C-alpha cells in the first residue's frame, strides 16, 4: 500500500478536526455533561445528514439485514468513544488524555493480531515506538523528565477504554464481512452508524440523568461549539476517516491518530499567543517517521 496525497489528506484532516474537538470538550466541562454532550452532538449531525440519507431507514433498506453489525459500529464509534472522551476530561488533564490516547497504534496492532490474524511486523513495532516518542515529546514540551510528574486519575481509565474501543471500530470498518455497505451512498453508511450510535448514546444519557449528573447550561458560545463538533469532528472527520481506513488499513491509519496530540498542542499554544517550538518539529518528524515505516511495510508486502 502506497500513501498517496489523497489518502494522507483523508487521514490527516480528521486528526485536525478531532484536536479541535478535544479542546472544545475541555471548554464545555461544567456546561454540558459528557453523555448529554455526546447525544446533542450526534443528534444534530444526524439531523444535518438526514435529507441525504433517510432512504437507509426504509423497510427494504439493506441496513436491517446488517443491523447487528451496525449496532456494534454505532456503539464503538458513535455511542461510546466520544462519550468516554468527554467523560475523561471531567477528571483528567489534557496531557494525560492525549498521552494515553497516543497508545492507539499499539492497541490497533494488538486487536489486529488477536482478532483478525494480522500479526505486527518489526517495522510496524519500530514505527509505533517512534510515533509514541514523538507524542511524548509534545506532551513534555521536549523535557522528558516531566513524565515523572504525571499522576493518573479515574478519567485516564475512561480514555484508555475509549482508545481500545476505537481500535475495534477501525478494524470493523476495514472488514465489512457479508455487508455490502461499501456500495451504499456514503451519507447512508455514515447515517446508519449515527442512528444506531444514538440509541446507545440516549441510553447512556438516561443513566447519567438517573444518577443526577446531567448538566445543560447553553450559551451562545457553547451553541457555536456544538455546531462545530457536529459538522467537523462528526460528519467531515468520520467520513474522511472511514475512507482513509478502507484505503490504508487500520494498522497504518492508527499512526496518523498520533497527530491529534500534536495538533492539540499547537492549537493550545496558538490560543495562548505562543508560537510552535523546535520540539514540535522534532515530534512531528518522529510521528511522520512512524507513519513512513509502517507504510513501507505495506508497500513491501503488496509487492510480494
Amino acid at each position: 500500500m502506497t500513501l498517496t496525497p489523497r489518502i494522507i489528506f483523508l487521514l490527516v484532516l480528521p486528526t485536525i478536526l478531532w484536536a479541535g474537538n478535544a479542546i472544545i470538550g475541555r471548554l464545555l466541562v461544567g456546561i454540558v455533561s459528557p453523555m448529554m454532550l455526546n447525544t446533542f452532538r450526534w443528534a444534530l449531525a444526524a439531523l444535518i445528514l438526514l435529507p441525504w440519507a433517510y432512504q437507509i431507514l426504509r423497510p427494504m433498506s439493506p441496513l436491517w439485514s446488517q443491523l447487528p453489525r451496525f449496532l456494534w459500529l454505532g456503539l464503538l464509534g458513535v455511542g461510546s468513544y466520544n462519550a468516554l472522551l468527554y467523560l475523561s476530561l471531567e477528571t483528567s488533564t489534557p496531557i494525560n488524555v492525549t498521552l494515553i490516547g497516543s497508545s492507539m497504534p499499539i492497541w490497533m496492532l494488538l486487536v489486529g493480531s488477536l482478532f483478525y490474524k494480522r500479526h505486527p511486523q518489526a517495522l510496524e513495532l519500530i514505527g509505533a515506538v517512534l510515533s509514541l516518542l514523538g507524542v511524548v515529546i509534545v506532551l513534555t514540551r521536549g523535557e522528558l523528565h516531566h513524565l515523572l510528574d504525571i499522576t493518573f486519575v479515574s478519567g485516564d481509565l475512561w480514555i484508555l477504554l475509549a482508545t481500545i474501543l476505537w481500535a475495534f471500530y477501525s478494524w470493523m470498518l476495514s472488514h465489512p464481512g457479508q455487508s455490502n455497505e461499501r456500495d451504499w451512498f456514503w451519507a447512508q453508511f455514515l447515517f446508519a452508524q449515527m442512528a444506531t450510535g444514538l440509541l446507545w448514546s440516549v441510553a447512556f444519557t438516561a443513566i447519567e440523568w438517573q444518577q443526577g449528573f446531567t448538566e445543560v447550561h447553553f450559551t451562545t458560545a457553547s451553541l457555536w461549539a456544538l455546531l462545530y463538533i457536529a459538522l467537523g469532528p462528526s460528519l467531515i472527520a468520520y467520513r474522511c476517516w472511514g475512507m482513509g481506513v478502507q484505503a490504508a488499513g487500520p494498522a497504518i491509519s492508527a499512526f496518523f491518530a498520533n497527530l491529534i496530540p500534536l495538533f492539540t498542542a499547537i492549537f493550545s499554544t496558538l490560543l495562548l499567543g505562543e508560537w510552535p517550538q523546535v520540539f514540535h518539529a522534532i515530534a512531528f518528524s518522529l510521528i511522520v517517521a512512524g507513519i513512513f515505516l509502517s507504510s513501507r511495510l505495506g508497500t513491501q508486502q503488496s509487492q510480494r
Side-chain angles (χ1 to χ4, degrees):
M1 194 284 303
T2 301
L3 286 177
T4 64
R6 175 180 177 272
I7 295 175
I8 293 174
F9 173 80
L10 290 173
L11 293 173
V12 170
L13 179 59
T15 67
I16 297 174
L17 297 172
W18 286 331
N21 179 52
I23 292 174
I24 288 178
R26 182 64 176 175
L27 292 175
L28 292 179
V29 169
I31 298 176
V32 186
S33 53
M35 303 304 160
M36 184 66 74
L37 176 59
N38 195 53
T39 297
F40 280 144
R41 165 189 178 168
W42 289 109
L44 180 56
L47 185 62
I48 294 172
L49 199 60
L50 184 61
W52 294 274
Y54 67 90
Q55 296 93 338
I56 202 65
L57 298 177
R58 289 178 172 175
M60 300 303 294
S61 164
L63 168 64
W64 305 116
S65 63
Q66 298 297 324
L67 187 58
R69 167 175 169 79
F70 278 87
L71 284 171
W72 277 109
L73 284 174
L75 172 62
L76 298 174
V78 172
S80 62
Y81 178 81
N82 286 280
L84 292 171
L85 170 65
Y86 297 143
L87 182 62
S88 70
L89 289 170
E90 292 271 304
T91 56
S92 188
T93 62
I95 188 170
N96 282 39
V97 169
T98 49
L99 178 59
I100 295 171
S102 68
S103 65
M104 175 68 72
I106 303 298
W107 294 111
M108 200 75 79
L109 295 176
L110 184 61
V111 169
S113 177
L114 292 177
F115 297 94
Y116 292 89
K117 298 181 180 180
R118 204 283 194 181
H119 302 297
Q121 303 298 315
L123 283 179
E124 286 180 310
L125 295 175
I126 294 172
V129 171
L130 285 176
S131 188
L132 183 60
L133 179 59
V135 173
V136 170
I137 289 177
V138 170
L139 299 177
T140 60
R141 301 183 65 84
E143 300 180 15
L144 298 182
H145 64 272
H146 284 173
L147 287 175
L148 300 176
D149 300 327
I150 294 178
T151 58
F152 293 96
V153 295
S154 60
D156 302 324
L157 297 178
W158 293 122
I159 192 61
L160 177 62
L161 176 60
T163 303
I164 296 171
L165 294 180
W166 185 262
F168 278 101
Y169 170 74
S170 294
W171 276 103
M172 283 192 69
L173 278 182
S174 66
H175 290 75
Q178 300 299 317
S179 175
N180 65 344
E181 62 202 40
R182 293 185 178 179
D183 297 327
W184 301 4
F185 180 47
W186 71 267
Q188 295 178 357
F189 176 53
L190 184 54
F191 185 83
Q193 297 179 61
M194 290 183 183
T196 52
L198 268 172
L199 296 176
W200 295 104
S201 185
V202 169
F204 297 150
T205 302
I207 296 174
E208 181 183 67
W209 175 81
Q210 186 180 37
Q211 297 296 317
F213 296 132
T214 300
E215 283 186 298
V216 180
H217 306 289
F218 277 128
T219 63
T220 301
S222 62
L223 288 174
W224 279 111
L226 179 60
L227 180 61
Y228 166 77
I229 62 176
L231 287 174
S234 301
L235 288 176
I236 298 174
Y238 271 70
R239 165 60 174 161
C240 291
W241 184 260
M243 295 174 64
V245 169
Q246 289 177 357
I252 294 176
S253 301
F255 289 87
F256 283 85
N258 275 354
L259 291 170
I260 297 175
L262 175 67
F263 288 129
T264 302
I266 292 175
F267 292 162
S268 298
T269 55
L270 291 177
L271 288 173
L272 295 174
E274 301 174 2
W275 289 98
Q277 304 296 314
V278 173
F279 68 83
H280 286 120
I282 297 174
F284 178 76
S285 299
L286 288 170
I287 294 172
V288 170
I291 295 172
F292 174 78
L293 285 176
S294 182
S295 65
R296 285 290 297 172
L297 174 64
T299 301
Q300 292 173 6
Q301 290 177 336
S302 64
Q303 293 174 347
R304 291 175 183 173

